[in-house]
Amino acid sequence: MSLVEEFNDYRKRMNERIMSYDNKVIKRFFNLDTNTYMDGALDVKTKEMLGLVASMVLRCDDCIKYHVGKCYEEGVTDEQIMEVFSIANLVGGSIVIPHFRRAVEYWEELKERGSAE
């Protein structure tokens, strides 16, 4: 199973399980996240790139994969994603580099899958 399939399958399965508990606070938090990344004064593409920088600086690999995937879906180019990664590395410092490597690996797999579909 690929990195992309493994991540997306796990995320979907666990989100469904979490939502099955029917907790109002958790549902509201998930809804807030969904609404935050919708088109507004900033477009979805810009918001996903901002989310990716924040996720890299905070060193959350799951968040990074999620936002890299969303950036790919929004049509972010190689040049744009590298600028996003550059900002994250500058702001976060050298400790971000291992997460940067994994983000590039994930980005490249998304591109390989996209050209195969």
Side-chain angles (χ1 to χ4, degrees):
M1 183 179 285
S2 76
L3 286 173
V4 173
E5 291 168 331
E6 184 178 324
F7 174 72
N8 287 329
D9 289 349
Y10 177 78
R11 185 175 181 279
K12 181 178 187 251
R13 184 176 73 250
M14 290 311 299
N15 281 350
E16 287 171 357
R17 207 157 150 210
I18 288 165
M19 289 304 188
S20 75
Y21 285 93
D22 201 29
N23 180 282
K24 186 189 312 183
V25 174
I26 291 170
K27 284 185 172 187
R28 286 182 175 172
F29 182 80
F30 275 51
N31 183 267
L32 177 63
D33 180 73
T34 298
N35 283 309
T36 297
Y37 284 94
M38 295 175 96
D39 257 336
L42 297 174
D43 62 13
V44 172
K45 182 177 177 180
T46 301
K47 288 181 177 186
E48 290 301 339
M49 290 187 288
L50 290 168
L52 177 54
V53 168
S55 297
M56 290 182 74
V57 170
L58 292 169
R59 301 184 309 272
C60 174
D61 282 332
D62 279 6
C63 303
I64 293 167
K65 286 177 183 172
Y66 176 79
H67 289 292
V68 166
K70 288 297 190 180
C71 284
Y72 180 80
E73 289 173 13
E74 290 299 318
V76 171
T77 66
D78 285 344
E79 293 79 15
Q80 290 172 326
I81 201 79
M82 285 299 156
E83 286 191 16
V84 169
F85 292 155
S86 296
I87 293 166
N89 278 284
L90 178 66
V91 173
S94 62
I95 197 164
V96 173
I97 292 172
H99 304 277
F100 172 44
R101 290 183 187 117
R102 289 187 288 275
V104 169
E105 178 183 31
Y106 198 79
W107 177 256
E108 289 177 350
E109 186 168 310
L110 284 166
K111 288 186 349 178
E112 286 174 20
R113 287 177 41 137
S115 62
E117 294 175 340

